[in-house]
Amino acid sequence: MVQYNFKKITVVPNGKDFVDIILSRTQRKTPTVVHKGYAISRLRQFYMRKVKYTQQNFHEKLSTIIDEFPRLDDIHPFYGDLLHVLYNKDHYKLALGQINTARNLISKIAKDYVKLLKYGDSLYRCKCLKVAALGRMCTVIKRIAPSLAYLEQIRQHMARLPSIDPNTRTILICGYPNVGKSSFINKITRADVDVQPYAFTTKSLFVGHTDYKYLRYQVIDTPGILDRPFEDRNIIEMCSITALAHLRAAVLFFLDISGSCGYSIAQQAALFHSIKSLFLNKPLIIVCNKTDLQSLEGISEEDKMLVMEMKAEAMKTVIGQGGEPTDDVGVLLTMSTLTEEGVIAVKNAACERLLDQRVELKMKSKKINDCLNRFHVAIPKPRDQKERPPCIPQAVLEAKAKEAAEKEKRKTERDLEDENGGAGVYSASLKKNYILANDEWKEDIMPEIMDGHNVYDFIDPDILHRLEELEQEDGLRQAEEDDDDFEIDGKELTPEEQKALAEIRKKKSLLIQQHRVKKSTAESRPIVPRKFDKDRRFTTERMGRQLSSLGLDPTLAINRARSQSRGRKRERSPDRGADDVMDMDVDTPNKKLRIRSRSRSRSKSRPPGEVVPGEGFKDSTQKIKAVKLAKKSANKRNKDARRGEADRVIPTLKPKHLFSGKRSTGKTDRR
């Protein structure tokens, strides 16, 4: 669990912004209107409130800065030394001390001026004291502006520090620059550390996480260290020294036996011996890297002796953990991050060594005694030679057997295919899915001869032809039923009337086809004004000629069309009686024709829930629901006095009745 999260520290404003924030808040949150005619006690209270409120805001802001920045003496020594290396502990404490001093000074200034305001004898005197108090507070803040800027830079840098938990299981990687430390952490964790063929690519601590035996391990990649005096080391190297000194971790000292890093084995051995005091009481593993360029057996005898000396020093950590002096497994390991040979072995060895050490330390601690006295393992002693096997009820055994049967995996067709020779050999049986009275019948062979007769003799070869005949007969019957609804029966007419009827039906079908081509529904077609009817397709003269050619009198039809074009009248026209446009000079014995030829005074109104083709609704229920939702969505717009969805008018932001007149002491943010 990470105990320190520096990313949550509040932003530190600079001196000018600090003053602007506090004064603007004072102006917004305190009364702003005062008159010289007020009582002197009211004037004093007015300006004392401003001074006190400003001091409280300064105190809260400065206290937040002091409390959120970590105190180097209270946090873990690793973070304390790391912050000292990065930011200089003296400068850091001095900056926080100046913030604390400024807070106390502002409190003292406010206290003094409130005391003076108690004896102010006029509006002018009280106002001058208030201005002087706020001015002195702002002067104090401006004097600590460099400290505020310094702390803001530290806050930004601390927010970029990795989240390192000093108390968890940790693997620490150290060594000379460019020996393969970053490549190793990239292989075993999901960290993405930059790897380049030059020294000091890694300039700070990088953290990754890996798992071993269901436990999470923290892997820290440290910058390279050079073999030189402690005083000459720079900040980058001191980060590594700080981690080695304070973190209880397994240490992997990387050794480049190929020499491609630019440093010989002798130089790397000298660095090892100079910092070996930091390896005390920690599992230490010597890792010989880059074996793809040079194997450990191929190095010179002198270098091999140096490696053996380093191995002997690492063996002391094994003995310190209670291990045997002869147990040298996991102390000197070889690997190559390029070919990934031995990488997992190094990781497992480091995790195992660290886990053993942590378990041993816990066993030696006092806490283990509090846990062990709670455990008691009872081992009964046999009182005779009689065997007493465990007695498990039969119901329990049956329940266990049933659970085991349910857990068995159901075989799929793929499993059956694999068991029976694979694809191309196995053929899935479709008969096993047949629903029969007896499952044993599924695999029966279909007989060719049954009861002495050939089964094929009972198969009708003309079954498809007979099916077509039945369908045609069904279609004819359906057509006859539809013909019953015709308006005029042709058999009851004379030859001339039948000819006229055929012409009418032909014209009707043509009009229907033209209508379908133009629009799918009549409601979706706009009405074309007469002046745009260029081809003059719809005129009374043309209608009269066509009706005359059919032997019909067009007078009534033309008069009615002209009366409709003049507009709808309030009363029914006297000439619109029982006769209609469809009245003809022929007998109409058909009852349906007479009923349909009767005119109505006006078209029938549709109920609001009726669905009109083309509206896009499935049924009337859906239409009613949509209308309700539309009305509901307009409620808020109507409340706000909006003309429509596009009305973006902004009313007066400062109505006069709320922003004029005298203001009394108290809250002014709302009335």
Side-chain angles (χ1 to χ4, degrees), residues 420-438:
N420 295 287
V425 178
Y426 172 74
S427 178
S429 175
L430 302 178
K431 296 180 179 179
K432 61 184 178 183
N433 296 322
Y434 286 177
I435 302 175
L436 302 176
N438 190 349

Side-chain angles (χ1 to χ4, degrees), residues 617-640:
F617 297 112
K618 183 173 65 176
D619 50 16
S620 59
T621 306
Q622 190 182 36
K623 181 176 179 179
I624 293 171
K625 186 176 180 182
V627 171
K628 284 184 179 179
L629 289 176
K631 290 181 179 178
K632 189 176 180 182
S633 64
N635 286 343
K636 188 176 185 306
R637 188 171 70 242
N638 297 338
K639 264 187 195 175
D640 297 338

Side-chain angles (χ1 to χ4, degrees), residues 48-117:
M48 283 165 56
R49 180 179 178 183
K50 283 189 175 294
V51 174
K52 286 180 181 178
Y53 190 80
T54 307
Q55 181 266 332
Q56 289 173 1
N57 285 332
F58 275 123
H59 189 276
E60 289 175 4
K61 276 279 186 183
L62 296 175
S63 299
T64 302
I65 294 172
I66 294 171
D67 295 339
E68 288 189 350
F69 274 88
R71 297 185 180 181
L72 301 185
D73 298 333
D74 297 341
I75 60 177
H76 194 275
F78 163 68
Y79 273 114
D81 280 4
L82 184 62
L83 297 181
H84 173 57
V85 167
L86 296 173
Y87 315 123
N88 194 338
K89 179 168 60 176
D90 298 332
H91 291 174
Y92 178 76
K93 287 187 173 181
L94 188 61
L96 287 179
Q98 289 180 354
I99 301 295
N100 190 28
T101 304
R103 181 178 63 174
N104 296 333
L105 281 175
I106 289 174
S107 299
K108 189 172 181 298
I109 290 169
K111 186 178 179 182
D112 293 343
Y113 276 89
V114 166
K115 191 179 295 183
L116 292 173
L117 278 167

